[in-house]
Amino acid sequence: MKRAALIFAAVCASAAASATYPVTVTGTDPVRGKCIPSDVDPAPWRGRIVSAAVEAKGEVGVPTQRWQGGKFMLCARADGKWDWPQAHFPNGKGPFGWRRFSFEHFYHWDTDKMQLVLGMQAAAGTITFREPKFETVAAVVDLRQAANRGYA
């Protein structure tokens, strides 16, 4: 989706004053890491299953928890609860060359906030991102009112 690629480009531009596409994120603190979050308009993603992919290379240290480490996420909040869909990186396994990282996720109809996150959480390292791709896999019909006959 071209719109999401523009969002990715905007995040890349915010990484540093002289950043160019592709973007490289470096974190030297193994406790805090380094992530670049950017707000995303949730309207075009609501009620959709989205496929998100990016090419990346780099090296990420060992994080304290398995869900931490390298981050390529399109997180979302619906009904006050956050979902953290993300691609999984080879944390603590040495340098890796250009590889494709991807995930699919359903974004709820009530999603009111979204963020694209690039970088590392609770790990030191460097990741370079390029070739983002965001596509709608399916639009899911909201049958909550019809199925519950108004009792929802």
Side-chain angles (χ1 to χ4, degrees):
M1 206 171 183
K2 286 183 182 179
R3 185 174 190 285
L6 291 173
I7 292 167
F8 184 86
V11 170
C12 295
S14 71
S18 61
T20 59
Y21 178 78
V23 66
T24 299
V25 181
T26 300
T28 56
D29 184 344
V31 175
R32 296 181 62 197
K34 170 77 174 188
C35 284
I36 302 171
S38 180
D39 289 339
V40 175
D41 178 11
W45 308 101
R46 290 183 187 123
R48 307 250 187 291
I49 298 173
V50 175
S51 172
V54 69
E55 289 182 1
K57 72 174 182 175
E59 182 173 10
V60 180
V62 178
T64 56
Q65 301 291 330
R66 66 174 179 76
W67 61 83
Q68 297 171 335
K71 293 293 176 188
F72 168 60
M73 299 192 302
L74 190 56
C75 11
R77 182 181 68 194
D79 296 324
K81 298 176 187 171
W82 281 93
D83 280 331
W84 309 96
Q86 60 187 297
H88 296 281
F89 286 79
N91 302 317
K93 296 184 179 173
F96 57 93
W98 288 114
R99 290 178 43 187
R100 183 172 183 217
F101 296 92
S102 63
F103 63 91
E104 286 187 2
H105 185 72
F106 169 70
Y107 292 93
H108 197 272
W109 300 281
D110 298 329
T111 297
D112 64 347
K113 184 170 176 71
M114 293 179 75
Q115 281 191 329
L116 177 64
V117 179
L118 304 173
M120 286 127 328
Q121 178 186 13
T126 298
I127 303 177
T128 300
F129 299 91
R130 71 177 185 191
E131 302 299 326
K133 188 174 185 181
F134 300 84
E135 295 180 312
T136 296
V137 175
V140 181
V141 177
D142 185 357
L143 297 174
R144 292 177 292 176
Q145 290 297 322
N148 293 313
R149 301 191 180 215
Y151 295 103

